[in-house]
Amino acid sequence: MKKNVLWIAVAATCIMATSCASKKDLENCKLENKQLTGNYQTAKEQLAASQARVTSLEEQLAQQKKDYAKLQRSLDKSLTNASQNNVSIDKLVDQINESNQYIRHLVEVKSKSDSLNMVLTNNLTRSLSKEELKEVDVQVLKGVVYISLADNMLYKSGSYEINERAAETLSKIAKIIKDYKDYDVLIEGNTDNVPISRENIRNNWDLSCLRASSVVQELQNKYGVDPKRLTAGGRGEFNPIATNGTEIGKQRNRRTQIIITPKLDQFMELIEQAPEEK
């Protein structure tokens, strides 16, 4: 009987001890499971963050590829434009060089023309007497030689007929004209504003034209100037150089001008030497 009681007591003690051990292990398992669950959740969150980072990097890479492609296209276009611009600049430089050459040519021609005009003027003024120079004015204006003669020296009073006193002066002018064969000659008649009406002369237009024609025919017929080089024209009272309000002014306006200019055909040849537009 005592033995049974002892055995029961020992068994109960063992059961209690086993029960205590199992409970402790369970607590340990629960704690470990909790830690593992936390670690899993942390790892899961880290994985999600990593995946989001990867997605962001992929998007950035795709955008950078687009930007690079756009930049490449822009660079290619810039290179193409630069190449075209270089060609345009080269053409522009060529045109500028051609223009500069043409300008230098014009300057040389003008310089030569100015020199010839000065020689012509000097030769004429040296050939005229002091008395003649009182009634003959010689000027060079804008590359053109103007020889202005007073009407009372050239014509009979109120007429368009050449008087004898003008013969010597016209002969000297004719010699200069014949020496310079590369020039054309315009004879231009001018009057004051006093109206005139005579037989075969209706007004100052007629008078100025008739006086210019008289000088042209005198140079041609008496002094042998080539008529192909001569032109007669009249400007009436409409090209005054002084006021018509005084007698001195009227006297200055009553004049005939012999205008010596480079030949028109030579001028046109000069124009044709201009560089062509490209």
Side-chain angles (χ1 to χ4, degrees):
M1 184 68 178
K2 288 183 180 180
K3 287 183 180 180
N4 290 336
V5 172
L6 180 60
W7 174 254
I8 292 170
V10 171
T13 300
C14 289
I15 291 171
M16 291 179 63
T18 300
S19 177
C20 290
S22 297
K23 187 176 182 180
K24 186 176 180 181
D25 290 339
L26 181 60
E27 291 295 330
N28 289 335
C29 287
K30 288 182 178 179
L31 180 61
E32 184 177 356
N33 182 64
K34 185 178 180 179
Q35 290 176 347
L36 290 174
T37 301
N39 292 338
Y40 170 75
Q41 188 64 32
T42 300
K44 187 176 180 181
E45 292 174 356
Q46 290 177 349
L47 178 59
S50 297
Q51 288 176 339
R53 178 62 176 167
V54 169
T55 301
S56 176
L57 291 174
E58 288 176 346
E59 291 175 353
Q60 292 179 20
L61 179 60
Q63 185 61 45
Q64 288 177 353
K65 287 181 178 179
K66 291 181 180 179
D67 293 342
Y68 174 78
K70 183 178 180 180
L71 181 62
Q72 186 64 46
R73 289 193 298 271
S74 177
L75 179 60
D76 292 341
K77 184 177 180 181
S78 298
L79 291 174
T80 301
N81 290 338
S83 178
Q84 293 175 348
N85 288 337
N86 286 336
V87 174
S88 299
I89 291 172
D90 290 340
K91 289 182 179 179
L92 180 60
V93 170
D94 291 340
Q95 291 176 357
I96 291 173
N97 290 335
E98 290 178 359
S99 297
N100 287 338
Q101 291 177 359
Y102 181 59
I103 290 171
R104 285 194 294 269
H105 176 64
L106 289 179
V107 170
E108 291 174 0
V109 170
K110 184 179 184 304
S111 178
K112 181 179 179 181
S113 176
D114 289 345
S115 298
L116 287 173
N117 288 340
M118 291 306 299
V119 172
L120 184 156
T121 303
N122 290 336
N123 290 342
L124 177 60
T125 53
R126 279 199 299 266
S127 69
L128 297 174
S129 66
K130 292 182 179 180
E131 291 300 317
E132 287 174 321
L133 287 173
K134 291 179 181 179
E135 297 180 299
V136 178
D137 181 38
V138 183
Q139 295 184 39
V140 178
L141 300 174
K142 297 181 179 180
V144 178
V145 179
Y146 290 83
I147 306 170
S148 185
L149 301 98
D151 72 323
N152 58 358
M153 182 198 77
L154 278 176
Y155 314 105
K156 296 176 182 179
S157 179
S159 172
Y160 56 85
E161 295 181 7
I162 304 295
N163 65 33
E164 294 77 9
R165 193 163 68 92
E168 185 176 355
T169 302
L170 284 178
S171 68
K172 295 175 181 178
I173 294 174
K175 183 180 184 306
I176 294 296
I177 292 174
K178 291 169 71 175
D179 287 343
Y180 291 85
K181 297 181 180 180
D182 292 332
Y183 287 76
D184 283 330
V185 183
L186 168 64
I187 312 300
E188 182 183 270
N190 295 270
T191 70
D192 59 23
N193 66 344
V194 178
I196 185 171
S197 180
R198 298 185 182 179
E199 186 178 357
N200 298 326
I201 303 177
R202 294 169 296 180
N203 49 42
N204 284 329
W205 279 114
D206 282 355
L207 180 60
S208 63
C209 291
L210 287 168
R211 285 182 168 179
S213 178
S214 294
V215 174
V216 163
Q217 294 179 66
E218 188 85 355
L219 292 173
Q220 174 190 350
N221 299 328
K222 192 170 183 178
Y223 301 109
V225 177
D226 184 357
K228 294 179 181 179
R229 299 173 56 196
L230 299 173
T231 301
R235 303 191 66 176
E237 63 194 70
F238 302 104
N239 185 35
I241 57 174
T243 177
N244 281 305
T246 65
E247 287 303 318
I248 294 178
K250 290 178 181 178
Q251 184 178 348
R252 291 190 62 196
N253 290 333
R254 296 191 299 267
R255 69 199 187 282
T256 296
Q257 289 186 305
I258 299 177
I259 304 170
I260 303 175
T261 63
K263 285 181 177 291
L264 182 60
D265 57 348
Q266 294 179 346
F267 176 75
M268 294 306 297
E269 288 177 3
L270 181 63
I271 293 298
E272 289 174 359
Q273 295 177 21
E276 297 180 356
E277 293 184 0
K278 297 183 177 179

